[in-house]
């Protein structure tokens, strides 16, 4: 019900907005049914000013001022944060600056108890990468269209290094931008490269961005100030002990957020990270048997291939990696999963280990679906 109310409120804010100056526009970023961020920005020939309300993990109010050089890259940038209690009407504090000096970018950060300065490399056309914020993508698409090439390598500043995002023209108003490790996002742009819609459904973030004429940022500030989303995919862990055996399970726990899960954001027939962020880690103090597969005592990572009628649980011998780093050559083995349904809905992806008469069972639970694999204790 909360998500429905927020959606109706956002729609009312859109409807209340009058037509705006042609250089001022806005983005709304949705993660499932949740509004993750709103951005209102204004461009000139040499700069962009953006007001951003980001709701994860806490609500944050930030204003960005970016001035670009003759290559379309960072000349200087400043980020100013404002207290949630006052929003943009309050007194802000500059928490980050980036200034080009020759072939380097000088970065100063003062947004925590550990102020720091560092140097990052400069490349022509470099832009900032701001997680879950998308106005830099607008500038990147603008520059790509102006370049008039089918493929453009777009450097983005991520921390103290540059990451290469590849922008490709597909056809008509369609372009893609490839995140170095999250995957490809599809975009619709106008003839100048202004971003109309961005779909990150094929990436690990799976968010969507839409352009709107304007936003009532004062109304949204009031609505969102004390209403954060929290962590997008918090870390979860559990310990179990039965039949003389100790088990631990550690996994990222994404939220449903009104989305279609298996067969939707988790495609059938493809290897799934089985959670979020860091790879799911499973350990056992005794040897186990999953059917004919022997799993010696130790630590493993779990991946899966969900299907509408079951699928496979993958037990992998590599540990310590991110969930996107799956190496099939390190598989200990694959075992069948049984799929069942439940009447109530589980919002947060959950993994449990249950005791059975014969041994135990690993359960992957999300929404109304349960995938499970049984094992014996050796």
């Amino acid at each position: 019900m909360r998500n429905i109310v927020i959606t109706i409120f956002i729609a009312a804010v859109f409807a209340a907005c009058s037509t705006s100056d042609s250089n001022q526009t806005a983005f709304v970023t949705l993660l499932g049914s949740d509004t993750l961020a709103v951005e209102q920005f204004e461009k000139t020939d040499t700069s962009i000013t953006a007001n951003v309300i980001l709701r994860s993990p806490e609500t944050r109010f930030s204003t960005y001022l970016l001035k670009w050089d003759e290559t379309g890259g960072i000349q200087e940038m400043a980020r100013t944060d404002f207290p949630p209690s006052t929003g943009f009407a309050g007194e802000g504090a500059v928490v980050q600056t980036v200034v080009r000096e020759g072939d380097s970018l000088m970065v100063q950060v003062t947004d925590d108890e550990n102020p720091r300065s560092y140097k990052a490399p400069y490349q022509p056309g470099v832009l900032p990468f701001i997680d879950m914020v998308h106005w830099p993508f607008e500038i990147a698409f603008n520059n790509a269209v102006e370049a008039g090439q089918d493929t453009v390598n777009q450097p983005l500043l991520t921390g103290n290094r540059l990451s290469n995002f590849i922008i490709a023209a597909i056809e008509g108003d369609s372009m893609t931008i490839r995140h170095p490790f999250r995957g490809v996002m599809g975009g619709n742009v106008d003839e100048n490269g202004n971003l109309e819609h961005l779909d990150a459904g094929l990436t690990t973030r799976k968010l969507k961005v839409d352009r709107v004429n304007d936003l009532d940022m004062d109304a949204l500030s009031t609505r969102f100030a004390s209403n954060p989303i929290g962590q997008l995919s918090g870390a979860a862990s559990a310990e179990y002990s039965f039949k003389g055996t100790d088990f631990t399970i550690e996994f990222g726990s994404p939220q449903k957020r009104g989305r279609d899960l298996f067969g939707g954001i988790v495609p059938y027939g493809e290897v799934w990270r089985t959670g979020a962020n860091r790879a799911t880690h499973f350990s056992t103090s005794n040897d186990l048997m999953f059917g004919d597969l022997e799993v010696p005592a130790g630590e493993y990572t779990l991946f899966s291939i969900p299907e509408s009628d079951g699928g496979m649980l993958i037990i992998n011998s590599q540990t310590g990696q991110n969930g996107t780093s799956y190496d099939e050559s390190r598989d200990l083995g694959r075992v069948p999963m049984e799929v069942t349904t439940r009447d109530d809905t589980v919002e947060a992806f959950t993994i449990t280990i249950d005791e059975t008469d014969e041994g135990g069972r690993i359960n992957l639970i999300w929404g109304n679906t349960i995938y499970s694999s049984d094992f014996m204790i050796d």
Side-chain angles (χ1 to χ4, degrees), residues 128-157:
F129 175 78
I130 307 169
D131 197 18
M132 299 179 286
V133 175
H134 295 91
W135 62 260
F137 284 13
E138 166 113 341
I139 308 304
F141 281 122
N142 291 160
N143 293 343
V145 168
E146 185 175 353
Q149 301 173 7
D150 291 338
T151 303
V152 174
N153 294 325
Q154 173 61 61
L156 294 183
L157 175 65

Side-chain angles (χ1 to χ4, degrees), residues 5-315:
V5 170
I6 289 177
T7 301
I8 293 173
F9 175 81
I10 293 278
V13 170
F14 294 166
C17 293
S18 60
T19 57
S20 62
D21 185 279
S22 60
N23 288 329
Q24 180 170 287
T25 189
F27 289 152
V28 176
T29 300
L30 297 178
L31 184 63
S33 56
D34 284 333
T35 302
L36 176 61
V38 291
E39 310 170 41
Q40 187 178 66
F41 55 93
E42 185 169 4
K43 293 185 292 183
T44 72
D45 291 339
T46 58
S47 68
I48 183 170
T49 303
N51 289 333
V52 177
I53 304 175
L54 179 62
R55 301 179 61 215
S56 175
E58 302 296 329
T59 302
R60 190 182 79 199
F61 293 80
S62 302
T63 292
Y64 297 85
L65 173 59
L66 169 68
K67 297 180 181 180
W68 49 78
D69 59 20
E70 66 282 357
T71 72
I74 298 172
Q75 181 64 46
E76 57 183 76
M77 187 186 79
R79 172 185 138 200
T80 303
D81 282 359
F82 298 83
S85 58
T86 61
F88 297 108
E91 182 177 351
V94 177
V95 297
Q96 182 187 33
T97 60
V98 184
V99 178
R100 178 190 174 186
E101 293 184 5
D103 60 358
S104 299
L105 295 171
M106 308 305 297
V107 183
Q108 290 190 328
V109 180
T110 59
D111 65 345
D112 54 28
E113 297 179 355
N114 182 31
R116 57 199 183 277
S117 300
Y118 55 87
K119 181 187 297 185
Y122 170 86
Q123 285 185 15
V126 62
L127 293 169
F129 175 78
I130 307 169
D131 197 18
M132 299 179 286
V133 175
H134 295 91
W135 62 260
F137 284 13
E138 166 113 341
I139 308 304
F141 281 122
N142 291 160
N143 293 343
V145 168
E146 185 175 353
Q149 301 173 7
D150 291 338
T151 303
V152 174
N153 294 325
Q154 173 61 61
L156 294 183
L157 175 65
T158 56
N160 62 355
R161 63 187 180 89
L162 302 185
S163 296
N164 191 38
F165 287 61
I166 300 173
I167 299 177
I170 306 301
E171 59 180 356
D173 64 350
S174 298
M175 301 184 78
T176 60
I177 183 167
R178 178 183 292 275
H179 191 288
F181 57 86
R182 286 182 185 159
V184 177
M185 296 163 275
N188 297 112
V189 301
D190 67 14
E191 66 275 10
N192 297 314
N194 294 320
L195 182 62
E196 302 290 345
H197 175 74
L198 185 74
D199 188 342
L202 296 178
T203 73
T204 56
R205 273 287 158 80
K206 302 186 184 303
L207 48 78
K208 295 184 179 181
V209 183
D210 284 298
R211 189 185 201 92
V212 296
N213 284 338
D214 202 356
L215 292 172
D216 186 340
M217 295 295 278
D218 291 336
L220 291 172
S221 297
T222 301
R223 183 69 179 88
F224 291 148
S226 59
N227 189 21
I229 288 177
Q231 294 287 349
L232 298 186
S233 300
S237 64
E239 298 180 358
Y240 301 86
S241 183
F242 53 82
K243 289 183 169 59
T245 306
D246 297 323
F247 306 91
T248 62
I249 188 78
E250 300 175 352
F251 57 95
S253 180
Q255 305 289 309
K256 185 177 187 298
R257 303 187 191 279
R259 298 174 290 181
D260 293 331
L261 301 177
F262 299 104
I265 61 171
V266 181
Y268 290 135
E270 298 181 12
V271 173
W272 180 42
R273 63 198 299 169
T274 312
N277 303 325
R278 186 172 181 258
T280 292
H281 283 62
F282 163 76
S283 69
T284 172
S285 63
N286 284 339
D287 297 349
L288 308 178
M289 292 294 297
F290 285 82
D292 296 331
L293 177 66
E294 181 178 357
V295 179
E299 185 177 31
Y300 304 90
T301 49
L302 301 180
F303 297 84
S304 57
I305 304 177
E307 299 281 8
S308 60
D309 57 354
M312 304 296 289
L313 178 68
I314 302 171
I315 302 174

